[in-house]
Amino acid sequence: MKKIYTTLLLVIGLYANAQLTIVKDVAAAGITPTSDKQVFWQNNKWNNKFYFNIGTTAKLGVTDGTDAGTFLVKDLGVAGVSTLISKIIPAQDFFYIQVDAIDSYSPYTLHNELWRSDGTAAGTFLLKKFDPTISYPINLGSDISEYCNNSILGNEMFFAGFTTANGYELWKSDGTVSGTVMVKDMTAGAGNTPMDGFTRLGSNVYFFTGSGQLWRTNGTDAGTVNIPLPAGLTVYVYNTMVAYNGKLIFIGYDATNGMEPWISDGTTAGTHIIANTSPRTDYYYVLKDLMFKEVPGGVLFQQLMTSGSNKNTLWKTDGTSSGTVQLSNLDVIDEQSGVDFGMTQQSIYVYNQSQKTFFKSNYQPGGSSVISQNLAYNQFKNFYNFKNTLWFSSGIAAFGSDAFEPWRCDGFQTVKTFDINPGVGPSTPFGYFEINNDLYFFANNGGGVKLYKFNGDFTFNNSVNNNWSNGSNWNAGTTPLLTEDATIPSGFNINVDGNAFANNLNVSSPLNLTTGNLNFRGNLSLNAPVTLNANNVNLKGENAAILNGNAINYLTTNGAGTVNVENLNPTRGQVNLPIGTATNYNPITIENTGTSDTFSVNVQDGISNTTGGAVNATWNISEAIAGDSNVNVSFTWNQTQENGLFNRNTAAVGHYYNATWNSESSSIVTGTNPYTISATNISSFSPFGVLNQSALGNTSFTTAEISIYPNPSNGNFAIQVPDSFIGSRAVIYNLLGQSIKEFSIDEVNQNTNLEKGVYLLQIQKGNQVSTKKIIIK
């Protein structure tokens, strides 16, 4: 697999328009980052720059995405001591730095240092050196593994720190040496008070202790108090909590409910269980990496649903019982294996290393699926969301033809994007970050680690040929995915030679679908025609739309090609489909007020199985799942398509089934070349056409049975029908086809509300329709 990308890499290195470029040779400059965990790179940004550890000692590096802006800021290490920058916590006017220093290996002792920096050497200095111990002397994170602190307000930060005299206790800092102080010695003397989960809510910061208690502090000794929990409740200490909608959400344990999500307003009375989501009642380890990430409509958490299993099910809660929903019935998150995850606005992606399963959820119940399983690759890691496309590093860790390289995923496809180190060596990309809408990462091209830049310009350039599938024909150096916007400039003639994807697609050159389908999730803007042949155009997004279609630029559905609208439902409303044949433009609008479904549409010249008056066009409409649809559709045609017997005044929408053309409930013809007619409440699908009533299986009744008098009138007229017509439906239209009034026929209907003009009265009796003209002087 790896060798097929070698040509692509050469193009990237040689062509000026390729968008993967080397910003800086950091290996040659001696500033290679050692911070390769992606969670570090998602929390180390301050003042639009990213800060990191250089090499094997505590050296502070910075990058702003440029060569000159990527350099060593300051060496924070001490000669003879093994040091490393482990955390960078941004505040308002500077950022905090945690330095880990190993004083001795035998016996093992470690001390931590708290620094602050404004990104300059002079503005980078030590705030506090904490005393050595056998465990980490400070904890700046808001849970065990995160690289963030949720207590920060302005420059103030709360954390846990260790001194020999007081043990492990609550500290705070305002970024000054004098303002870096212990808040409270909660366990008197040298005793320790393990704590975590520092979370700000209003003017207070909340945290929990190793004994499962919930505490609150305002930054003073007296204002640091324990909040008594409901009887039997223990806060789960090996996790985090989150402030959401003005309250705290955390995992709590009691013997009745087991491990469940709880919510608190900071008082005992305001602390209660949100929902009982698992039948288990035992105390068990909860996976922490995914816990309480904020997503649309709530925060995520995981649950073990069965005893004896390590697999978690994904849930979401907004803090209410009704808003706590299970997102997955697939227990694919194995807490005993390595788990990597990434999040976009639309989905969360989880890779389970032991099962080699790649899973996603769109944050909605029933919206989960396994993208891939039984993968040959032993890791997906370093997930990063760039413009709603998931980038990550994947491959087999050992050297080989599938060594680690950059990959990306749109939720439907998972593709290797570049082969930076061609042959059998890995490039091992890491440290994905974004500045000014450009993606950056570090990777080894075989000549040392470089800083790379990718701006994602998916503009077609035709540099090699006119094939969509050739990545070298795109400024990005690779073809777009369903989450990526693409542009086809004018002056080309594009051959879609395989399945093609884009989010928003702007087309200014003709597209010819020869061997693949065109899929898009956003808007398809037509400034040139698209020819389907035997292929399909798929509207895959919930609001996907086709814009700017007209009699010149439309979708030509020649052959068996179709336009497929996924998720057509009442919320979506009307969808305009600018379709036609090689010679005629016959667009439709379609709306489904019934159950959501996928609808397929095309049009062909001519109409079969009739010798009467008709439009020489047949629209084919089908649904993926039969039943429960209620569709309204409008058809448009040109006067040149009408045969000699066709009469627009007696036209209706015909639906071919049971070997005959049957009449649908339809409006009068509107427009002035082109013309349009609409049909409503369609629940079954097959070919549709526009025919005279006389050409339909359901014939019209004679207008002689209906009397309108006087006609013309001054607006005061009566409608008289035989007794058998009492209760029939009547609609009055103006000449623009707009419904003016709808009513049921009585023995005599009178109307005095019409303004001067010409109107059409349409009366329907069962499947029979008749139309009469009304003139108001």
Side-chain angles (χ1 to χ4, degrees), residues 636-642 648 669-676:
T636 298
W637 69 95
N638 299 304
Q639 185 172 347
T640 56
Q641 294 180 268
E642 300 172 352
R648 284 181 229 111
V669 174
T670 61
T672 307
N673 196 24
Y675 302 96
T676 299

Side-chain angles (χ1 to χ4, degrees), residues 211-233:
S211 58
Q213 300 177 54
L214 182 63
W215 285 71
R216 178 181 67 233
T217 182
N218 63 3
T220 68
D221 186 318
T224 303
V225 297
N226 175 243
I227 301 171
L229 297 173
L233 174 63

Side-chain angles (χ1 to χ4, degrees), residues 605-625:
D605 289 326
I607 186 166
S608 303
N609 303 305
T610 183
T611 58
V615 172
N616 289 315
T618 302
W619 291 267
N620 300 296
I621 304 176
S622 62
E623 59 181 342
I625 302 174

Side-chain angles (χ1 to χ4, degrees), residues 444-621:
N444 190 331
N445 67 353
V449 176
K450 313 289 192 297
L451 174 60
Y452 286 87
K453 173 183 175 179
F454 175 81
N455 74 2
D457 177 13
F458 289 95
T459 299
F460 194 86
N461 57 48
N462 210 70
S463 62
V464 177
N465 53 33
N466 63 351
N467 290 338
W468 179 294
S469 66
N470 190 323
S472 299
N473 285 325
W474 297 86
N475 284 351
T478 184
T479 57
L481 297 181
L482 202 59
T483 47
E484 295 163 332
D485 296 343
T487 300
I488 309 292
S490 60
F492 304 131
N493 196 342
I494 314 303
N495 175 37
V496 179
D497 57 330
N499 287 332
F501 301 86
N503 181 36
N504 296 306
L505 175 60
N506 192 323
V507 176
S508 296
S509 287
L511 297 187
N512 187 34
L513 280 59
T514 57
T515 57
N517 300 325
L518 177 61
N519 306 270
F520 67 96
R521 197 176 68 176
N523 293 327
L524 171 59
S525 297
L526 291 177
N527 300 298
V530 177
T531 303
L532 276 61
N533 299 307
N535 305 292
N536 303 325
V537 169
N538 300 315
L539 285 69
K540 301 192 72 67
E542 293 182 358
N543 297 300
I546 303 175
L547 309 179
N548 305 331
N550 54 47
I552 297 174
N553 303 319
Y554 59 88
L555 307 181
T556 302
T557 62
N558 290 344
T562 62
V563 180
N564 304 316
V565 184
E566 299 182 7
N567 305 308
L568 189 59
N569 53 44
T571 302
R572 191 164 183 176
Q574 283 189 351
V575 176
N576 300 313
L577 301 179
I579 61 174
T581 68
T583 55
N584 293 292
Y585 179 49
N586 295 123
I588 74 167
T589 63
I590 186 169
E591 175 186 24
N592 179 26
T593 61
T595 302
S596 180
D597 206 342
T598 296
F599 286 83
S600 300
V601 177
N602 71 4
V603 63
Q604 62 192 59
D605 289 326
I607 186 166
S608 303
N609 303 305
T610 183
T611 58
V615 172
N616 289 315
T618 302
W619 291 267
N620 300 296
I621 304 176

Side-chain angles (χ1 to χ4, degrees), residues 66 79 144 326 621 713:
T66 68
I144 290 176
Q326 186 173 343
I621 304 176
S713 74

